[in-house]
């Protein structure tokens, strides 16, 4: 069997039915072989950033590693931002790039480069494949590593002449790995949690990734513990309508510490170091608060703060085993749930009233715009969010319960949203997808609209258009509140009159409309989410400063 044929056989065996790529000369042996593999679709992107983002969304929708083919050093460099996002969001990807022909690499040919060195900082592991007989088992190893906690992208450099070799290679079988079981010392964990006077839970994205939301609900209800989502969470890790849901933690140590003050025991589950953004001094954990931490990645336990007990195991299996040990041990659990429910309802009522007060004609207040989008969502919709400023407001008005209904990247590499939404819909065509995007994020990833049009992917792209990098202005103002400082910003304005994203959509062949008001926005989202074609909605939003 030729190396390239072995590669295709392994892809099929690993469940790969789509390759996301942008080809070049060094990938031609692979793309040529795909011409005789009708069961593996090649999904073309016109920029590598969009290619990796599509694969990211696809992997999240299907629950298995997505496969990416990039072109040599330059294409890999273009895709690095997506790989950084995937690494931070723990998305399993297997990524390849074609290297120049080995027979003249020593002469430093055009387009060649240190692919492994370039990729190393952005991925979980790298392979520099130099021998045809190594390709099959290195590729198998890449798929295994991509899924092993902590999941993430794995990179392989493939010289183009290696794939053209005719010498036979052997294909190793696929290994079946048992999932992580429950952690040990669960009775000790149950004793610590049950004895707490005021317990809280921090729900990290590991819960959503590992499908452990129902198990977390059982533990939270047994304790009557408030549940906070981790800062800038990537998914639904606890039902938004549940009375114990206490919202998202802020992305600073000081803010987290303030939110958790008064809780004597905090159960931190499946979150990477609380994911702080801006620096504030001190620990995220209040003094005299004890932490029980659970993660499928042992490196997370006690990484940034001391823990009274660190539990390493499968998150779902551990929570499922822990819930019976807690049930009936906390007499005040029902009372705590009722009290939390009243606070939850009051908080949502205040937010609802504030958002409704802004209804009217565009331009809209960001909270009102977010509310209108939420009001128009079908029940089974998936929200892909890369809206930065308005995204924070969107989290306040959404109340999503179904796992997988919210997709975000905590990686921070802009331009991810459009491609991720396309990939999410390709991987889960049974659910409508609405992408809520900032105008700056849209500019970074605009090329993804080409793929949406080319493959007729029915995604609704909602661009919150305030003509500026609003989040940076708000950050500057929070640092320096003096009146002489406000209103003077360098490099933070995109357009004083707002860019017209309807024209950009039309260029790529996508229908577009500009929202005239909050009701119009809600109606358009509701109708478009049931459509069989992509649509872009340009939403004028207030915020110029």
């Amino acid at each position: 069997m030729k190396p390239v044929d072995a590669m295709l056989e392994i892809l099929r065996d690993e469940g790969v039915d789509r390759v996301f790529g942008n080809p070049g000369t060094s990938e031609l042996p692979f793309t040529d072989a795909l011409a005789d593999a009708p069961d593996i679709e090649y999904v073309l992107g016109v920029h590598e950033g969009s290619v990796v983002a599509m694969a990211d969304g696809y992997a999240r929708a299907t629950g298995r590693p997505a496969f990416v083919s990039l072109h040599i050093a330059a294409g890999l460099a273009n895709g690095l931002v997506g790989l950084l996002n995937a690494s931070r969001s723990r998305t399993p990807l297997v990524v390849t790039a074609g290297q120049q022909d080995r027979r003249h690499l020593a002469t430093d040919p055009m387009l060649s480069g240190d692919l492994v060195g370039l990729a190393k900082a952005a991925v979980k592991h790298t392979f520099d494949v130099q021998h045809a007989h190594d390709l099959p088992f290195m590729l198998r190893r890449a798929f295994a590593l991509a899924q092993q906690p902590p999941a993430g992208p794995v990179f392989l450099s493939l010289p183009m002449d290696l794939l053209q070799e005719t010498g036979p290679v052997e294909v190793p079988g696929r290994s079946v790995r048992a999932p992580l079981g429950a952690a040990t010392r669960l009775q000790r964990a149950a004793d610590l949690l049950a004895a707490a006077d005021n317990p809280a839970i921090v729900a990290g994205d590991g819960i959503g990734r590992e499908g452990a939301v129902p198990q977390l609900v059982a533990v939270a209800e047994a304790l009557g513990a408030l549940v906070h989502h981790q800062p800038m969470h990537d998914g639904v890790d606890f039902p938004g309508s549940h009375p114990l849901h206490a919202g998202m933690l802020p992305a600073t140590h000081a803010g987290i510490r303030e939110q958790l003050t008064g809780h004597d025991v905090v159960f931190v589950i499946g979150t990477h170091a609380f994911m702080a953004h801006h620096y504030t001094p001190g620990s995220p954990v209040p003094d005299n608060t004890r932490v029980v931490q659970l993660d499928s990645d042992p490196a997370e336990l006690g990484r940034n703060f001391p823990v009274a007990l660190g539990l390493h195991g499968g998150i779902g299996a551990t929570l499922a085993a822990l819930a019976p040990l807690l049930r009936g041990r906390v007499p005040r659990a029902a009372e705590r749930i009722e009290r939390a429910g009243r606070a939850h309802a009051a908080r949502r009522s205040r937010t609802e009233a504030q958002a409704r007060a802004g209804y009217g004609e565009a331009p809209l207040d960001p909270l009102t715009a977010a509310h209108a989008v939420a009001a128009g969502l079908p029940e089974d919709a998936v929200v892909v969010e890369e809206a930065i400023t308005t995204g924070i407001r969107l989290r306040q008005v959404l109340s999503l319960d179904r796992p997988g209904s919210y997709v975000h990247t905590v990686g921070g590499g802009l331009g991810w949203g459009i491609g991720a939404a396309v990939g999410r819909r390709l991987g889960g065509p049974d659910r409508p997808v609405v992408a809520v995007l900032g105008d700056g994020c849209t500019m970074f990833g605009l090329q993804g609209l080409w793929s949406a049009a080319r493959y007729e992917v029915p995604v609704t792209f909602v661009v919150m258009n305030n003509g500026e990098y609003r989040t940076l202005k708000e950050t500057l103002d929070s640092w320096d509140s003096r009146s002489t400082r406000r209103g003077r910003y360098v490099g933070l304005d995109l357009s004083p009159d707002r860019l017209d994203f309807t024209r950009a959509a039309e260029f790529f062949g996508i229908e577009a409309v500009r929202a005239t008001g909050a009701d119009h926005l809600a109606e358009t989202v509701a109708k478009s989410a049931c459509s069989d074609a992509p649509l872009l909605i340009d939403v004028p939003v207030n915020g110029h400063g």
Side-chain angles (χ1 to χ4, degrees), residues 172-194:
R174 186 171 182 267
S175 299
V176 177
R177 299 188 177 198
L180 278 176
T184 59
R185 301 198 68 189
L186 289 186
Q187 188 60 58
R188 174 59 178 157
D191 291 344
L192 285 168
L193 293 167

Side-chain angles (χ1 to χ4, degrees), residues 96-244:
T96 64
Q99 178 59 284
Q100 268 281 17
D101 192 307
R102 291 167 297 178
R103 291 168 294 188
H104 70 157
L105 262 181
T107 65
D108 194 22
M110 189 182 299
L111 304 179
S112 65
D114 181 4
L115 303 190
V116 167
L118 194 59
K120 187 168 290 185
V123 301
K124 181 179 177 181
H125 195 84
T126 60
F127 293 96
D128 189 5
V129 186
Q130 288 297 312
H131 304 286
H133 59 264
D134 289 338
L135 174 60
F137 79 79
M138 284 185 172
L139 188 55
R140 283 287 193 199
R141 193 181 297 173
F143 275 97
L145 284 170
Q147 300 170 82
Q148 178 182 307
V154 176
F155 174 76
L156 300 97
S157 171
L158 303 179
M160 64 182 297
D161 59 304
L162 184 148
L163 292 182
Q164 292 174 307
E165 290 184 6
T166 57
V169 295
E170 296 181 3
V171 176
R174 186 171 182 267
S175 299
V176 177
R177 299 188 177 198
L180 278 176
T184 59
R185 301 198 68 189
L186 289 186
Q187 188 60 58
R188 174 59 178 157
D191 291 344
L192 285 168
L193 293 167
D197 291 326
N198 188 17
I201 294 173
V202 176
D205 286 324
I207 293 165
R209 284 195 302 269
E210 298 187 28
V213 174
Q215 294 88 337
L216 175 59
V217 170
V219 168
E221 290 179 346
L223 288 170
L226 290 178
V227 180
H228 300 269
H229 262 107
Q230 74 167 62
M232 303 308 298
H233 52 98
D234 278 355
V236 175
D237 304 311
F238 192 76
S241 67
H242 196 284
L244 289 171

Side-chain angles (χ1 to χ4, degrees), residues 177-359:
R177 299 188 177 198
L180 278 176
T184 59
R185 301 198 68 189
L186 289 186
Q187 188 60 58
R188 174 59 178 157
D191 291 344
L192 285 168
L193 293 167
D197 291 326
N198 188 17
I201 294 173
V202 176
D205 286 324
I207 293 165
R209 284 195 302 269
E210 298 187 28
V213 174
Q215 294 88 337
L216 175 59
V217 170
V219 168
E221 290 179 346
L223 288 170
L226 290 178
V227 180
H228 300 269
H229 262 107
Q230 74 167 62
M232 303 308 298
H233 52 98
D234 278 355
V236 175
D237 304 311
F238 192 76
S241 67
H242 196 284
L244 289 171
H245 185 251
M248 182 182 73
L249 289 173
T252 65
H253 281 185
I256 295 168
R257 187 168 60 247
E258 181 181 356
Q259 288 286 308
L260 298 182
T261 293
H263 295 288
D264 54 336
V265 177
V266 176
F267 192 11
V268 179
I269 309 169
T271 182
H272 175 56
F274 275 139
M275 286 292 187
H277 185 198
H278 300 301
Y279 169 76
T280 53
S283 169
V285 179
D287 293 340
N288 303 317
T289 296
R290 307 180 78 186
V291 175
V292 178
Q293 187 176 12
L294 166 63
D295 211 289
S296 54
D297 177 9
E300 291 295 338
L301 303 178
R303 175 174 177 160
N304 283 356
F305 43 82
V307 299
L309 181 62
L311 303 171
H312 173 229
I315 291 176
T318 300
L319 294 176
L322 182 61
L325 301 179
L326 293 168
R327 206 165 288 128
R329 292 189 60 184
V330 184
R332 297 174 54 201
E335 176 190 336
R336 290 171 177 172
I337 294 172
E338 184 179 354
R339 184 171 63 248
R342 291 196 297 269
H344 177 100
R347 184 173 62 248
R348 292 202 64 84
S349 179
R350 290 192 299 271
T351 303
E352 175 81 11
Q354 184 182 351
R356 284 285 182 186
Y359 266 58

Side-chain angles (χ1 to χ4, degrees), residues 49-61:
S50 300
V51 166
V52 179
M54 284 193 290
D56 187 321
Y58 192 76
R60 299 200 205 191

Side-chain angles (χ1 to χ4, degrees), residues 3 44-45 65 92 137 182 250 271 293 341 395 479 490:
L44 178 63
F137 79 79
T271 182
Q293 187 176 12
R395 292 166 187 263
W479 288 351
V490 176

Side-chain angles (χ1 to χ4, degrees), residues 42-120:
Y42 189 90
V43 180
L44 178 63
V46 293
H47 187 276
E48 291 84 356
S50 300
V51 166
V52 179
M54 284 193 290
D56 187 321
Y58 192 76
R60 299 200 205 191
T62 61
R64 60 180 187 268
F67 190 79
V68 180
S69 175
L70 303 177
H71 175 48
I72 218 157
L76 173 59
N78 280 339
L80 284 179
V81 65
L83 299 182
L84 289 168
N85 286 337
S87 291
R88 277 286 182 168
S89 292
R90 306 290 196 249
T91 306
L93 304 177
V94 175
V95 183
T96 64
Q99 178 59 284
Q100 268 281 17
D101 192 307
R102 291 167 297 178
R103 291 168 294 188
H104 70 157
L105 262 181
T107 65
D108 194 22
M110 189 182 299
L111 304 179
S112 65
D114 181 4
L115 303 190
V116 167
L118 194 59
K120 187 168 290 185

